[in-house]
Amino acid sequence: NGSKNTYEFTATEEDNNALYSCQAKNDLIVKPLEAEITTIVQYGPKHVRITGPSEALKGDELNFECSTSNSNPPVDIWWVVDGRAVQGNHTRKFASERGGWKTTTNITVRVDPTD
């Protein structure tokens, strides 16, 4: 049997990609022994946001962007216009500075003169 020391915590998104290490040493070894582990924490985004105009004239072309806060893994985003699923123009998923992912997608619609 050997020595055991336990560190227990509740993982949050801030713990994603965190590096934990432990060291062991006694008088019989010159250099401490060390082990490391990197945590991968899965979590959903805390919010989603749409940017774009809220008013338009007939015939106007409107551009909207939908973006999420960090998540791991990245999320899928889809658009719903008047109850119908609509394909977006371009979706980007990029690594964020905190080790998760940010996702953005945009859509362009034209205000039909009959709307």
Side-chain angles (χ1 to χ4, degrees), residues 3-4 8 11 16 25 27-28 30-31 42 46 60 69 72-74 76 78 86 97 105 112-113:
S3 295
K4 180 178 177 180
E8 189 173 317
N16 189 39
K25 181 166 179 15
D27 292 338
L28 300 176
V30 175
K31 182 178 174 187
Q42 294 187 342
K46 290 185 178 177
D60 282 354
S69 58
N72 187 36
D76 294 319
W78 62 93
V86 177
E97 60 281 354
T105 187
D112 191 323

Side-chain angles (χ1 to χ4, degrees), residues 9 11-20 37-43 71-74 98-101:
F9 64 98
T12 67
E13 67 181 69
E14 285 79 23
D15 297 306
N16 189 39
N17 288 332
L19 178 64
Y20 293 88
I37 190 167
T38 301
T39 56
I40 298 173
V41 179
Q42 294 187 342
Y43 56 94
S71 67
N72 187 36
R98 293 183 152 197
W101 297 88

Side-chain angles (χ1 to χ4, degrees), residues 3-112:
S3 295
K4 180 178 177 180
N5 188 332
T6 302
Y7 176 62
E8 189 173 317
F9 64 98
T10 301
T12 67
E13 67 181 69
E14 285 79 23
D15 297 306
N16 189 39
N17 288 332
L19 178 64
Y20 293 88
S21 66
C22 67
Q23 295 183 353
K25 181 166 179 15
N26 68 16
D27 292 338
L28 300 176
I29 57 175
V30 175
K31 182 178 174 187
L33 302 175
E34 184 174 10
E36 294 181 340
I37 190 167
T38 301
T39 56
I40 298 173
V41 179
Q42 294 187 342
Y43 56 94
K46 290 185 178 177
H47 67 268
V48 63
R49 180 178 64 210
I50 293 179
T51 55
S54 60
E55 295 183 11
L57 298 173
K58 290 181 180 181
D60 282 354
E61 188 172 271
L62 307 176
N63 295 299
F64 298 99
E65 180 176 89
C66 181
S67 59
T68 67
S69 58
N70 285 348
S71 67
N72 187 36
V75 299
D76 294 319
I77 299 176
W78 62 93
W79 291 95
V80 178
V81 178
D82 291 332
R84 297 181 336 265
V86 177
Q87 181 70 39
N89 296 339
H90 183 63
T91 298
R92 294 179 301 159
K93 299 178 182 185
F94 51 96
S96 70
E97 60 281 354
R98 293 183 152 197
W101 297 88
K102 290 186 178 181
T103 305
T104 64
T105 187
N106 61 8
I107 188 171
T108 303
V109 293
R110 183 172 297 280
V111 179
D112 191 323

